[in-house]
Amino acid sequence: MGSERFDRFGAEASGRLANASDSDEGDRIIGEPRKAGHVLVVDDDPTIRRMVTGYFQEQDVPVGAVAGRQELHRHLAHSDPSLILLDLRLGQEDGLDLLREIRAHSDVPIIIMTGHRRDEVDRVVGLELGADDYIAKPFGLRELLARVRAVLRRQELGRAARTRNPERGGYRFGGWQLERRNRRLIDPAGDVVPLTKGEYGLLLAFVEAPQRTLSREQLLQATRIHEDIFDRSIDVQVLRLRRKLEANPSAPRVIKTERGLGYVFTLAVEPF
C-alpha cells in the first residue's frame, strides 16, 4: 500500500492539492480559494482526524480535516473537496442532518463513518440520504483508503462515460427502463410509455439523483435544460409523472413528497 503513489488517485479525484495537516480545532486546506482534489475528514475526535490525515498524507493523498458543522461550512466556502469522510456522531451535532445539508446543494461523494454494529439503522438511513458508502469504526486505514479510491473510481468512470456518450445508455429502476437516446420510458411489461419533453426532463433529474431529496428549485433548474416549463408548476409535472409511474398515484411510492423540502425518487437506479 505504501508503494502506491497518488498518480492513480489523482486521476480519480481530478486534481491535486497541497497536503494539509490537522489540529484539534480542525484545519483547512491552505492555499488560494476554491481548491479542489482533496479528501475532507469531518470528525469531532482529534485522534481520528490526526490518524486519518496522517495516513493519507503518507500515501500522497491530499487531505484536510474539520471538527464539525461550522468548520465544514467555512471550508466549503473556499474549497471543493473530491470526497467527504463524514462521521455520524459529531458530539451534539447529528451527522445525518449534516449529510442532508450537503446533499441539498452538492453531489460530492460522501463516505459515512459509523460506530458499532448497533448503528445499522444510521447506516441504512445515511445511504438512503445519498451517502456513497460507509465504514464502521474501528476501521483499518488501508480499508478506508481502498473505499475512498473505489468511490472516486466509480465517479470518474461515470463522468467519463457521460462525457463520451452523453445521450447513450439510460437507467433501470424497479423493472422500468429509461432510454436516453430515444427518450423512451419502457414499463416492466415491455410497453413504451409516452413522455412529454417536460416529463422526460423531470424523470431524468430524478434518476440522476435517486433516493435524494430534490427541492422544487433544483427540479426546475434541471428541467429547464430539457423543456420550457416556466409557466407550469413542478407540482403539476410531478403529478403527471406519477400517473405514469405509480400503481396508485394518490398514494405514491416511487416519487414521494418531502414536506417543506421537495421530492425524492425512492427506487434504486442502475445506469446502463
Side-chain angles (χ1 to χ4, degrees):
M1 200 72 171
S3 62
E4 297 177 1
R5 305 299 293 171
F6 185 62
D7 295 341
R8 185 190 313 168
F9 184 95
E12 299 159 353
S14 63
R16 292 186 61 94
L17 183 68
N19 290 342
S21 61
D22 182 44
S23 68
D24 290 353
E25 294 78 22
D27 290 336
R28 64 179 180 87
I29 296 292
I30 304 300
E32 62 186 35
R34 308 316 310 173
K35 286 292 186 179
H38 60 283
V39 174
L40 181 64
V41 181
V42 185
D43 198 307
D44 65 329
D45 186 338
T47 301
I48 295 293
R49 296 200 303 272
R50 285 193 294 268
M51 179 179 69
V52 174
T53 56
Y55 181 76
F56 278 31
Q57 288 171 358
E58 290 175 1
Q59 305 301 316
D60 291 330
V61 176
V63 62
V66 296
R69 174 182 277 105
Q70 288 188 339
E71 293 176 12
L72 174 63
H73 288 172
R74 288 197 297 268
H75 186 98
L76 295 181
H78 61 76
S79 298
D80 295 314
S82 294
L83 182 142
I84 294 176
L85 291 170
L86 175 63
D87 184 27
L88 294 187
R89 293 286 182 264
L90 293 170
Q92 300 299 316
E93 298 175 347
D94 187 340
L96 290 175
D97 287 341
L98 195 50
L99 174 58
R100 289 188 186 94
E101 292 177 13
I102 297 171
R103 275 289 170 258
H105 59 77
S106 174
D107 289 327
V108 60
I110 298 174
I111 298 178
I112 53 177
M113 300 182 290
T114 69
H116 304 289
R117 293 186 182 273
R118 64 175 179 271
D119 291 331
E120 179 181 359
V121 173
D122 283 349
R123 294 200 297 270
V124 172
V125 172
L127 293 171
E128 290 177 344
L129 289 175
D132 296 272
D133 198 358
Y134 73 85
I135 190 167
K137 295 179 179 179
F139 49 75
L141 293 173
R142 293 180 65 185
E143 179 186 359
L144 178 63
L145 182 55
R147 287 181 179 272
V148 166
R149 284 177 165 148
V151 168
L152 289 171
R153 187 180 305 117
R154 290 197 299 268
Q155 183 196 43
E156 185 63 26
L157 288 173
R159 182 186 297 115
R162 289 192 298 272
T163 300
R164 290 193 303 269
N165 301 293
E167 291 298 326
R168 290 188 61 184
Y171 301 89
R172 298 186 183 95
F173 51 91
W176 295 77
Q177 182 168 299
L178 181 66
E179 298 177 350
R180 291 181 61 97
R181 178 177 292 276
N182 301 316
R183 298 193 173 191
R184 293 198 311 173
L185 177 63
I186 302 173
D187 69 15
D191 297 323
V192 176
V193 178
L195 294 174
T196 67
K197 290 183 180 180
E199 291 165 350
Y200 170 79
L202 186 63
L203 181 55
L204 187 62
F206 277 127
V207 297
E208 288 182 341
Q211 300 174 338
R212 300 179 186 174
T213 300
L214 298 177
S215 68
R216 287 170 176 81
E217 181 180 356
Q218 287 174 311
L219 291 172
L220 181 59
Q221 291 175 347
T223 51
R224 279 178 178 171
I225 66 173
H226 299 286
E227 169 68 355
D228 54 343
I229 63 168
F230 303 103
D231 59 340
R232 304 173 185 171
S233 73
I234 287 294
D235 296 333
V236 171
Q237 291 289 321
V238 168
L239 178 60
R240 291 174 178 172
L241 192 55
R242 279 173 171 166
R243 289 172 180 165
K244 298 183 176 183
L245 292 175
E246 305 278 3
N248 182 4
S250 61
R253 300 178 63 86
V254 178
I255 303 175
K256 290 189 174 182
T257 302
E258 293 288 335
R259 295 191 180 279
L261 297 175
Y263 297 97
V264 59
F265 191 84
T266 64
L267 300 180
V269 176
E270 176 190 2
F272 66 88

